[in-house]
Amino acid sequence: MPIHFVLAGDTAATVHPDAWPRVRSPLPPDPALEARVGALLAKMSVEDKVGQMIQADIKSVTPEDVREYRLGSILAGGNSGPDGGQYGTAAQWQKLSDAFYRASMDTSGGRLAIPVLFGIDAVHGHNNLVGSTLFPQNSALGNARDPQLIHAIGAVTARELRASGINWTFAPTLTVPQDGRWGRAYEGYSENPALVAQYAGAVIEGLEGKVGTPQFLDADHVIATAKHFLGDGGTRDGKDQGDAEVSEAVLRDVHAVGYPPAIRAGVQVVMVSFSSWNGVKMAGNKGLITDVLKQRMGFGGIVLGDWNAHGQVPGCTNEDCPVAYNAGLDMLEAPDSWKGLYRNTLAEVKSGVIPMSRVDDAVSRILRVKLRLGMFEAGLPSANPLVRDSVKVIGSAEHRALARRAVRESLVLLKNDGVLPIDPRKHVLVAGDGADNISKQNGGWTLTWQGTGLTNANFPGATSIWAGIRDQVQAAGGSAELSVEGHYKRKPDVAIVVFGEDPYAEFQGDLPNLAYRPGNDHDLDLLRRLRQQGVPMVAVFLTGRPLWMNREINAADAFVVAWLPGSEGEGIADVLLRTRDGHIAHDFHGKLAYSWPRTAVQIPLAGGKAHYDPQFRYGFGLSYAEPGKGGKLSEDPGITLSSARAGVYFTHGKPAQGFVLQLTGANGADSKVTATPSVTADGTLRVGALDYKAQEDARSLAWSGGGKAQAALVAPAPLDVERETNGDVMLVTTLRVDALSAQGASIGVSCGSGCGAQLPIGTQLTALPRGQWMSVGIPLKCFRDAGADMSKLDRPFEWTSSTGERIAVAEVSLGTVADHTLDCPAH
């Protein structure tokens, strides 16, 4: 096969297909199936074909749209749920699935009936479904070294999806993360490509059933999606949607190893990554998509784009990208841009910019997958027997028992100075903000996209870590006490402190280094305080990735990494506690699937693997059967720790590191706020300090006099928030409205002289309660649509008002959840 050059003269991005593995598909051509595909294709109009190649999000598409445009598939994105919510019950998902199916099968007006596919990110169980079984995240499961467990998890996830009327999951993630700073590292099973390859086929066969058996894609199974092709785990500095600056050999031997076993297992969809390889966006990389994946590896299913990822290809927009189709993508995920994409793609097909041969290949692949799934014969999604038994299927005792087992197998013991296992007949203190927090123990991609804005009440049937410990201790005759801050009524015999990362998902979770909560030693102080009080203490760490934790490890008598264990928190108690008669029922099983850093700046690839000397090597893990003693770890992080966090512009009443709070009076004169109180030279805007949750951790803003004045946050360097804008990220302000100006306020951003957007929000603010702290969000895309260049914001927050307005502000940051979300106002 000839070498395919991605960019003329760009040898770093040159693809050599013959150097890649040749894969034999387990699904050879089926003459009967191909005859059905050909017959359908012959009946389809150009409009029908283009509709099949576009996927829209349920927030932006209706069943009537599917009926009119003949769309081939829909998806429910991270914050998209039935009835306008962010997640749904089984009954809600079933009703919605039926409505879209009926629309796709409507033959009125001579329409052709082609059932619509419904995809969703079920990445650790059916995580958009209330009451579902939620498994440990993938970075936890890698520690189990158990492909059979992974297969069983895939099968249970498929059953709960089908019971809610959904037939397609955007899983498994076969990334091989090489940098823990990446906010999606927890979606990867391991930094070791061999382990990822071992798991790939197991999870796909669990989701889809085994090729060649009657169970393959039957009513109990769903379509699986191998993602993200290719190199998303190897981007420079761990930046999400970034550039994998690696050789073709590393791309093949590290990042692509999961795809041959996935294809051999019969995976039906491969999703292409947002990221680039040596400067070339994957969504436009014909050499890798067509020459390698489709031809060399023989993949015959659907190649799907990620969420508006085609819009990042040079020369493309979210609504127009023939380059992506011509590179080999069969279906573009155009959640909110689908209508414009349909219109432009249709014109480009008719004009020949996208050849009809490429269209027919794409549509044939889509139809082939639908036929394999039996969609033309299955009828309404609600006709599936699992839907009729959904109450017995979703969150069943059997499914939860499997998830509990997965928790036990995933735990990794890094230190034990004799405090473990715990006698449950003693008095046990359970402390830390993760102890009774089911949302925190699940992490991102849990009901909401970022996994935030939730309480335990959102998880019926689930068990917090505290509840699991309490129940086992009380059953053994001991006593348990919960205190988040570690204050106790009776001195405990032992304490279990559960703490860790707050939930996050893509790009919101990216880190500048591997330090745990730099500048915030609250958890460390809790551990040290209990130690000083002479309380034997076990630290249970909730995290999606290894972080520099030497100080916390030193402070604890035992240190357990629980990762993000999911809905069945009692699996932790199973291992930490003895039985009531003193036996050990479950030993520690997990071995590190990711090496653990020695410093906050130690990245596995820095200097090459040969020079990498981690604190705890890949494969490390103590147990009761094989204990180990470790000395005191160095508490030198290797850098100066700061509290700077990506996407946080103002917090605890102060601008984030490097940011400046600037006031502009009605006379146009600027002044920097270096102390409070502060006032503009003309007296039109005054800033003061006040208490929100702590002393002087908020700022009051009061306007008076004539004309408009402004408070703004000035960034130390231009900020690029295009990727956040492309998602459902908002500018979120934690504030209190005390009084409003009669002239109305506006919120804005600036991207340099003559560049920016000011959005009037006065009318919407009048509907908010007075004198009450709340978070108010406005989608970043509102600023983009009003003309702001979101790739170079120098002032990511501007509040402009006039006399009579009084507000207080505690925090300004990017986020996906707010108490009140404002609509994009007219501008």
Side-chain angles (χ1 to χ4, degrees), residues 511-554:
L511 294 175
N513 57 64
L514 294 177
Y516 171 66
R517 288 191 170 175
N520 181 352
D521 289 343
H522 179 273
D523 297 321
L524 177 63
D525 292 342
L526 170 57
L527 297 174
R528 287 175 171 171
R529 173 159 45 86
L530 288 169
R531 188 180 187 90
Q532 290 168 357
Q533 293 168 353
V535 179
M537 181 250 303
V538 179
V540 175
F541 185 45
L542 301 175
T543 184
R545 52 195 161 189
L547 295 172
W548 183 73
M549 302 293 297
N550 286 13
R551 297 180 301 167
E552 289 82 0
I553 294 171
N554 283 339

Side-chain angles (χ1 to χ4, degrees), residues 87 124 126-134 400 436-448 451-464 503 566-568:
Y87 44 87
H124 66 120
H126 189 354
N127 42 262
N128 285 74
L129 173 64
V130 173
S132 65
T133 307
L134 298 172
R400 292 190 183 278
D436 194 27
N437 191 331
I438 298 173
S439 172
K440 186 160 182 155
Q441 71 192 43
N442 273 281
W445 290 109
T446 304
L447 295 186
T448 64
T452 53
L454 304 165
T455 69
N456 286 1
N458 296 115
F459 299 93
T463 306
S464 72
S567 61
E568 307 311 300

